[in-house]
Structures are given as structure tokens and as C-alpha cells.
Amino acid sequence: MLYLLQVNIGLILFYALYKLLCTRDTFFHSRRFILMVSLILPFILPLIDIREWMESRDSLIMLTHFDYSVVLPEIVVGSKAAGTGNQVFILSEWIKYIYLAGIALLTIRFFIQVVSLYRIILHTPAKMINGICVKCLKNPSGPFSFFGWIFINPTVVKENEMDEILTHELAHVKQKHSIDILIAEIVSICCWINPFVWLIKREVRLNLEFLADKKVMEAGFATKSYQYHLLGLAYNHKYGLSNNFNFPHLKQRIIMMNKKKSNGAAHIKYALFTLPAFALLVAGNISCSQDASEKTDAKEEVVTPVSPDAAETPAENPAEEKAFDVVEQMPQYSGGMQELMTFLQENIKYPKSAQERKIEGRVIVQFVVEKDGTPAEFKVVRSIDPALDEEALRVLKAMPKWKPGMQKGQPVRVKYTIPVSFKLK
């Protein structure tokens, strides 16, 4: 979930930079490259661990000095708040299921579109029109293309429009625009909950139309006549994965056709595009990691041990084997995470002495799951009151054995952090 959060932050940042830097010029080929970078790079950058490199630089070392251990869902203890922590966990589970359901539905829709296009390719007869092989449609759908196929209903296209349409669709075919559409479609399925991914998808399609319109203009067709033909087309289009001639954003296309060609020197901004994007993504990834390791309020100060190693955290005793923060196969509580939340929720009690003194707050405890699955090395890294600290430790130490974490096929020690909130009525 942290990875998906980082990916979605990256998509938002790239979209913002694209709108800021790239939408006022006529460098459509450069735009196409940037849009593909904007869709693909956010999935790659979170996988690159740059913290080790940052720690080797004195000027950046402070950015990496915080704990990266996995934070478990917060447990809330109190007469009125009882069960809140579990409810939050269940809500997060429902959000996950809704997210996965959205991906499943959009994936089904995607395959239906692919199958629909495949059936049309198989069952539509081909014909040579003006020296170009096209698939002749019988239904009233407008002209469109998909990879190497161009689809036109010759009976509804005027003779003086045919060459323009063929030139336009041939540009989509030769420049392989369907690849861009498929990439945008797949990314929008993976990140459907992010509205900015749909905006990027729209920009991809719009820019591809700019490129095809440019080819029509370069072929010598009259600009005004072509624009009138665009305005006169009102065909329905049913094939979402294709490049269609009658793309809806006609006003923007006409404005761009009439726009003066941009100065070539302006290309330098495209060379610089990835620098601020990379810097912003690095900051976003670090921010996400920091947020995942500290779940405290902005006004609360958390005293957390400083870890000089971003990938692994040493145990208190230097002679002890290091405890990993993240491994290939994380430790698992018997019965699953929800069972753990239930165990803690049912056993942690609000100390009467703390209630009488009206003391409340969040206790943060760290522990290590040993190679044999035994929870050990419990320590309070944020203390509120001795009574609250003691109660949190008492129940956590009573946890049964976990299934140990695995790294490269071997059991390893793994560190966890868990916040326990004590709240009065």
C-alpha cells in the first residue's frame, strides 16, 4: 500500500509538471515522450532505494535519520473508544477490497474492449481505398485505427474528406499511437482511484490527436477546410482502445492547429523536466516512508532511535544479529493481522490510576520478531505515563509466537512498531 501511495503521488507530481511546462508549445513528439515518462517512471522510482546513497552525503544524511520499521494499525483503549482501533483496521480492509474490486471491474472492461476489437478485425472485410488497405465498417461508427488497422465506413464519408481521414489515421498507425493508449489504459486501471491518472490519460489521447492533425497539415491539406470537416463529423464511437478521428476535444485541436510553431530553443525545458520531477518524487517517497514509521500528531514529539542504516536496523546489543525492517516475507501473526488486533483490543485495559489522574495519550512500542517467531526486545520509544507504558508492554509481551520472517529463504529477525492510544471519554 505504501508503494501504491508513492506511485500515485508520483503521477500527481508528473501531471502537475506537465501542465506547468508542456501544454503551451507545439512540441508534440516531446510531449509524447514526457507523457510516457509520467506514466511509467512513478512505478519505477519507488523501487530504487536511494537512502544508502543519501546517507553517504553529509548534506543529506539528516533526511535519512529516522526509523523505517513497519508500523502496525493503532490500538485505541478507552471506555467509549473501545473497538475504535479494530474499526479503523476493518475500514482499511474495506478500502483495500473496494480498490481491488475497481481494478477487477476495469480489467474485465479492458479485456471486453480488446476482444471486441479483435472480433471486428476478424469479421470486417478489407478494401483498398486511395492505395491504403482499410477495414470497411457497416455500422455508423466514425473512422478509427488500432495498431496496423484502419477502420472506415465508406458510405458515410464524403469523397473530399476521405484523403484527410486516411492521412490522419495513417499517422496513428505509423507512429504506433496504440501503444501509448494501452499503457495509459493499464496505468489508469492500476491507479483508478487517483483522478489525476485519468487526466494524464486524457492528455495522452489529446496529444496523439495533435500529432495526427500535424501530419494532415504537413501533407498540404487546407487547414480551415480540415477544421470544418472535424466540426461536421458527429459519428458515434464505441471502441475505447482505438484512435478515433472524431476525438471530442475539437476546440483544443483547432486552437493548436492555428497556434504559431514554438521556438526550438524552448526544448530545453523538456531536458530539465525530469530533474524537478525526480527531486519531488524523492521527497515524496521519503515523506511517505517517514509517515509510515511515525503515526503521531503534528504537535506531538516522538523520541525515536536513530538508525544509520536505511535497509536494516541493528539490535540494542551490537553483538546481536541485526533486525530487518522489511524482508521478502514478513512475519505473520497466527490467524492474521485482524486476529492480532482482536487479541490486543480485548486484553489491553485502561489503568485505573491513569483514569483517576485523567492521563491519556499514545504509547509507541517497538519489538522484534525473532527467527523462531518469538516476540522479544520490547521497548517503549514514546512514553506517556509509567502505568500506561506498563499496560501496553504487559499485553504485547503476552503475544503468542508469530510465523517468522524470511529473507532469501532463511528466517531472520524483523522489527515492528505499534502505537497504543489511551483515550478517556
Side-chain angles (χ1 to χ4, degrees):
M1 295 304 292
L2 177 60
Y3 170 74
L4 285 175
L5 178 61
Q6 291 171 325
V7 167
N8 281 282
I9 289 173
L11 290 168
I12 294 171
L13 294 174
F14 271 114
Y15 175 76
L17 283 170
Y18 175 81
K19 293 296 286 185
L20 181 66
L21 298 176
C22 307
T23 54
R24 295 183 179 88
D25 56 51
T26 59
F27 303 135
F28 306 129
H29 288 286
S30 297
R31 283 201 205 183
R32 184 185 181 188
F33 172 76
I34 291 300
L35 284 166
M36 289 300 99
V37 167
S38 300
L39 288 170
I40 296 171
L41 206 56
F43 287 86
I44 298 173
L45 287 181
L47 301 175
I48 302 172
D49 190 357
I50 65 162
R51 294 192 292 265
E52 185 175 345
W53 174 83
M54 292 176 69
E55 287 176 349
S56 67
R57 303 297 189 273
D58 291 339
S59 58
L60 299 175
I61 196 167
M62 289 305 295
L63 289 175
T64 58
H65 271 194
F66 47 79
D67 203 308
Y68 291 90
S69 62
V70 173
V71 179
L72 296 172
E74 182 179 50
I75 299 299
V76 181
V77 181
S79 56
K80 251 195 171 180
T84 304
N86 233 13
Q87 290 169 10
V88 171
F89 177 72
I90 293 171
L91 177 62
S92 69
E93 286 293 293
W94 273 107
I95 291 172
K96 181 178 74 174
Y97 295 142
I98 291 170
Y99 183 79
L100 293 175
I103 291 178
L105 290 174
L106 290 172
T107 301
I108 293 170
R109 171 177 168 267
F110 174 79
F111 281 110
I112 290 174
Q113 291 174 331
V114 171
V115 171
S116 176
L117 282 167
Y118 180 69
R119 292 182 63 186
I120 287 179
I121 292 168
L122 288 180
H123 298 101
T124 304
K127 179 182 178 181
M128 296 297 293
I129 299 179
N130 297 349
I132 299 171
C133 182
V134 302
K135 293 280 188 176
C136 297
L137 298 169
K138 294 181 181 180
N139 59 48
S141 175
F144 65 93
S145 61
F146 183 68
F147 282 98
W149 298 278
I150 295 174
F151 300 84
I152 294 176
N153 185 337
T155 62
V156 298
V157 176
K158 296 178 182 178
E159 187 176 346
N160 62 337
E161 296 175 353
M162 184 63 74
D163 286 339
E164 295 173 349
I165 292 173
L166 289 174
T167 302
H168 181 99
E169 297 303 333
L170 202 58
H172 285 311
V173 169
K174 289 184 176 180
Q175 296 177 15
K176 298 180 174 22
H177 291 174
S178 293
I179 294 175
D180 302 47
I181 289 176
L182 286 181
I183 291 173
E185 191 71 27
I186 291 169
V187 172
S188 67
I189 290 172
C190 295
C191 304
W192 67 270
I193 205 166
N194 182 354
F196 288 90
V197 76
W198 299 97
L199 295 175
I200 297 177
K201 179 181 171 181
R202 184 187 67 179
E203 293 292 338
V204 168
R205 283 185 168 272
L206 182 58
N207 188 65
L208 295 178
E209 295 305 315
F210 290 160
L211 283 166
D213 291 339
K214 182 181 178 182
K215 272 294 181 185
V216 175
M217 299 298 97
E218 290 175 349
F221 293 100
T223 303
K224 285 190 176 180
S225 173
Y226 177 60
Q227 291 171 0
Y228 281 126
H229 291 162
L230 286 176
L231 292 170
L233 287 170
Y235 303 123
N236 293 322
H237 186 73
K238 301 182 292 184
Y239 311 105
L241 297 179
S242 61
N243 301 282
N244 53 299
F245 183 77
N246 188 28
F247 193 78
H249 299 288
L250 293 179
K251 181 178 179 181
Q252 291 172 273
R253 289 171 62 183
I254 291 172
I255 291 172
M256 199 56 68
M257 277 186 265
N258 294 324
K259 194 177 182 68
K260 184 180 177 182
K261 188 176 180 179
S262 301
N263 191 320
H267 263 112
I268 190 171
K269 66 184 179 184
Y270 287 92
L272 298 174
F273 178 91
T274 53
L275 295 178
F278 182 78
L280 286 170
L281 274 179
V282 168
N285 291 345
I286 290 176
S287 176
C288 288
S289 298
Q290 188 173 21
D291 184 63
S293 59
E294 289 190 23
K295 295 284 185 179
T296 57
D297 296 333
K299 293 182 180 180
E300 295 176 338
E301 182 179 357
V302 179
V303 180
T304 308
V306 172
S307 171
D309 189 354
E312 302 174 356
T313 304
E316 280 188 358
N317 186 349
E320 291 278 350
E321 188 175 346
K322 290 181 179 179
F324 286 78
D325 294 315
V326 179
V327 292
E328 294 170 356
Q329 184 178 332
M330 295 297 290
Q332 295 180 12
Y333 183 83
S334 178
M337 194 60 67
Q338 188 164 355
E339 190 66 29
L340 170 62
M341 296 299 104
T342 302
F343 168 79
L344 297 176
Q345 194 72 54
E346 290 177 350
N347 288 279
I348 298 178
K349 308 299 180 185
Y350 209 125
K352 290 184 179 179
S353 60
Q355 291 187 52
E356 292 169 355
R357 290 178 287 135
K358 300 189 183 301
I359 296 175
E360 59 181 358
R362 182 185 287 112
V363 178
I364 298 179
V365 179
Q366 283 184 351
F367 64 94
V368 173
V369 178
E370 298 288 353
K371 290 182 179 181
D372 63 354
T374 303
E377 293 191 14
F378 293 89
K379 59 182 176 182
V380 176
V381 296
R382 184 182 192 276
S383 174
I384 296 297
D385 178 80
L388 300 182
D389 300 347
E390 184 179 344
E391 177 61 15
L393 287 171
R394 179 188 70 80
V395 177
L396 288 170
K397 287 180 179 179
M399 287 189 297
K401 281 189 175 183
W402 292 42
K403 181 180 178 180
M406 305 292 288
Q407 181 75 5
K408 297 180 180 179
Q410 299 295 323
V412 291
R413 307 172 76 240
V414 181
K415 185 176 69 174
Y416 276 99
T417 300
I418 185 165
V420 181
S421 283
F422 293 87
K423 294 184 179 180
L424 300 170
K425 289 185 180 180

